[in-house]
Amino acid sequence: MEILVCIKRVPDTAENEFELNSAGNDIDRDDLVYSVNEWDNYAVEEAIQIVGEHGGSVTVVSVGDDESEEVLRREMAMGADNGILLSDDAFEDSDSRGIASILKAEVEKGNYDLILTGAQADDGAAEVGGMLAAMLDLPYASLVNQIDIDGDKHIKVGREIEGGNKEMNEIELPCVLSIQTGINEPRYVGIRGIRKVAQIEIPVKGASDLGIDAGSVGKDGAKMKRIDYFVPDLGEGAEMLEGSTDEIIEKLIEKLKSKGGLA
Amino acid sequence: MAQIFAYIPHKDGVADDIAYEIQAAAGKLDSNAQVTAIVTGSGDTLDKVAGHLTSLFKEVIKIGHDDLAYPNAEVVRKALCNVLPSDAIILAPHNTFGMDLVPGLSIKFDSACASDVIDFEGTEGATLKIVRQVLGGIISTHNDLDISNGAVIAIRPGAFAPVEDGSEGGTIVDKSGDAGDISTKRRFLEIVEAEVGDVDITKSDVLVSIGRGIEEEENIGVAQELAEAMGAVVSCSRPIVDAKWLEKSRQVGTSGQTVKPKVYLALGISGSFQHMGGIKGDPFIIAINKNANAPIFQVADVGIIGDILEFMPELTEKIKDL
Ligand SMILES: Cc1cc2nc3c(=O)[nH]c(=O)nc-3n(C[C@H](O)[C@H](O)[C@H](O)COP(=O)(O)OP(=O)(O)OC[C@H]3O[C@@H](n4cnc5c(N)ncnc54)[C@H](O)[C@@H]3O)c2cc1C
């Protein structure tokens, strides 16, 4: 099974407290900690497990700047065989459609049976996988939390739907799947693992290598353009308890008592 | 502006409550719009839901086919492509079905796409200003959407205050004949129900709920001791279940349990809409989080900025001393 996994380098929501920059047109990106998008990491682990059992190879691809090389290498340290970086000034400020069309150009250069994306990334849009599938005219399933390889014509996939129920589908290969967290337990990657793959070459491809018209992607090609970032008006918000830890706990216990929070 | 269509999901002949929110969202998008509901399905249940929706919408399009009996988004997408004009503005819910349908539909129609939209702020020419959140809801963004060639927009459940049930007396238009070829390469097999766990968190009046802020599996015991002292039950957010630290049956949220406690103590939980979507009945919410900007503080009744790993043991001790 030849598997391509699309990954993205994102600011880590668990490691950062985000603030707006002084101009208010972006988040303050100085000193942000970046990592591979959580959903993508599950997708790579799944691909590695499938190839481990059924043979084939795993390629990770990312649309991004030079720094995205670090997440490609991280996932190669996990066990992905190849990495490809799609990078060009013309790709900057692409919307989901732009990203999907850049990925499409790379998919068409390969011969993949299975294309995986994370279910969503830092924008919470959950769009790239479904768009890529539609552009390639391949079948698609989102929020996949189970993959059973039971043939080379089609596979069984479970989609996580509301309430944690699972929707089972049979889907023809090749296909595009977006992966939901929890599908597996991604392996740990140590510094040593990353050092091992430090020398492997990661090809970088731009718009002309991919045969992409620069005007169809990036800001010019986008049908959705971000204008600004803002912190929403908190409205009433919570009543904040302040003071020393002892004082706060005392107030908290009073609240709990009055609301029936202590049996 | 092009015509607005609202895709309404339904189950057992009853429209999803999101119908009222989508109608509200359409009104916010364009107050003069005539909104057409669109339902797909088969047999009696389709007729029933179409009939019901005529009270809310002036026009209801129904597309019936045996292959639409279960809402497989791949099949629904094909049907919609064959029935709707490609410059339509289509609204759908941003739930597990919408996420499956919307992005691909926008490509097939070559129209704009926006997902998880929480507000509309007016149109200027062919540009629609939308609001959505990024980075787990910590920060919001305004975006310009070029709707000159139509748009497919997924709205966040719970973001638009639902309209009241109306008395439109709308008409039903049967477009089943226009559905055309809806064969696809993905076939729905069955639904496997979520497993039942050892505790039923939906029965508890007081929940001590932990999120990624618990940091290590070893710390879960600390939360359990607090819950015991309070006479409460431990529940959690999704990452705790993904890490296999607690059973799926303890997960609160859209892809977990819907709970209705009296008191909800959220410890190290950021307050994503998927998590909050599982909390009903307006409980008294207390949030402890080390990040003052965590979105949970917008919805909590009482907030404490601090480290839960320091707070939990002290709170447990104080409660035991009472
Ligand atoms: C289709 C879909 C369905 C989903 N369904 C669900 C669902 O049912 N339930 C659910 O919960 N999520 C669900 N999610 C995931 C959801 O989007 C969020 O990723 C998740 O809720 C985040 O969990 P969290 O708040 O525990 O973690 P985070 O968002 O990482 O937040 C952790 C918080 O802990 C704080 N913190 C860290 N350390 C400490 C400390 N020592 N003391 C105090 N505070 C600390 C941080 O400031 C942060 O605010 C779903 C996602 C998708 C795409």
Side-chain angles (χ1 to χ4, degrees), chain A residues 11 13-14 16-20 27 38 42 97 100 119-120 122-135 137-143 145 156-157 159-172 180-185 222-234 236-242 245-246 248-250 252-253 255-257 259-263, chain B residues 70-72 74 77 94-97 99-100 103-108 110-116 129-136 138-146 149 184-194 206 212 229-231 238-239 242-244 248 253-256 262-263 265 274 284 286 288 290-293 297-305 311 314-315 318-319 322:
Chain A
T13 48
N16 299 296
E17 295 187 7
F18 298 97
E19 303 211 343
L20 297 184
I27 50 172
E38 187 184 356
Y42 284 91
R97 164 193 303 267
Q120 63 176 37
D122 52 337
D123 278 344
E127 289 170 345
V128 169
M131 288 181 167
L132 180 60
M135 288 176 181
D137 252 323
L138 292 179
Y140 175 63
S142 64
L143 297 165
N145 67 351
K156 268 203 198 90
V157 299
R159 293 185 60 239
E160 189 189 70
I161 56 170
E162 275 70 23
N165 298 327
K166 195 178 283 194
E167 178 199 284
M168 296 304 301
N169 292 269
E170 185 178 76
I171 189 164
E172 276 181 38
Q180 175 64 309
T181 56
I183 182 173
N184 52 40
E185 291 177 72
K223 285 177 186 280
M224 179 151 102
K225 295 189 175 76
R226 176 172 300 147
I227 319 166
D228 66 5
Y229 289 83
F230 66 100
V231 178
D233 181 7
L234 292 186
E236 278 201 26
E239 174 197 340
M240 303 306 285
L241 302 186
E242 283 157 6
T245 306
D246 279 348
I248 291 177
I249 288 181
E250 210 168 290
L252 179 57
I253 288 179
K255 296 271 180 203
L256 284 170
K257 274 188 190 156
K259 298 292 174 183
L262 295 179
Chain B
Y70 180 84
N72 173 342
E74 295 279 285
R77 184 180 312 119
H94 185 69
N95 57 13
T96 66
F97 171 78
M99 289 162 97
D100 218 25
L105 186 60
S106 77
I107 295 303
K108 293 298 177 198
D110 196 23
S111 60
C113 184
S115 297
D116 192 20
K129 199 167 172 189
I130 62 163
V131 182
R132 51 189 315 284
Q133 297 183 325
V134 296
L135 299 166
I138 299 178
I139 292 194
S140 296
T141 66
H142 287 108
N143 302 267
D144 277 343
L145 197 65
D146 172 4
N149 201 33
T184 60
K185 293 177 176 169
R186 179 177 131 198
R187 194 163 60 89
F188 166 71
L189 300 171
E190 59 172 336
I191 299 287
V192 180
E193 305 267 339
V206 187
R212 194 160 7 218
M230 289 173 64
R238 176 169 186 122
D242 286 341
K244 313 272 188 296
K248 180 85 179 168
T254 55
S255 61
K262 288 199 184 99
V263 175
L265 183 55
Q274 288 103 344
F284 189 75
I286 301 160
I288 309 184
K290 66 177 183 188
N291 181 356
N293 293 330
F297 289 132
Q298 297 169 33
V299 287
D301 297 282
V302 165
I304 297 167
I305 300 168
F311 257 95
E314 295 202 28
L315 183 57
K318 290 265 162 58
I319 291 173
L322 287 181

Side-chain angles (χ1 to χ4, degrees), chain B residues 41 46 61-65 68 79 82-83 173-182:
Chain B
L46 177 64
I61 292 180
K62 67 167 186 181
I63 311 175
H65 193 290
L68 288 164
N82 293 336
V83 169
V173 184
D174 187 353
K175 295 266 191 183
S176 307
D178 296 348
D181 173 20
I182 54 170

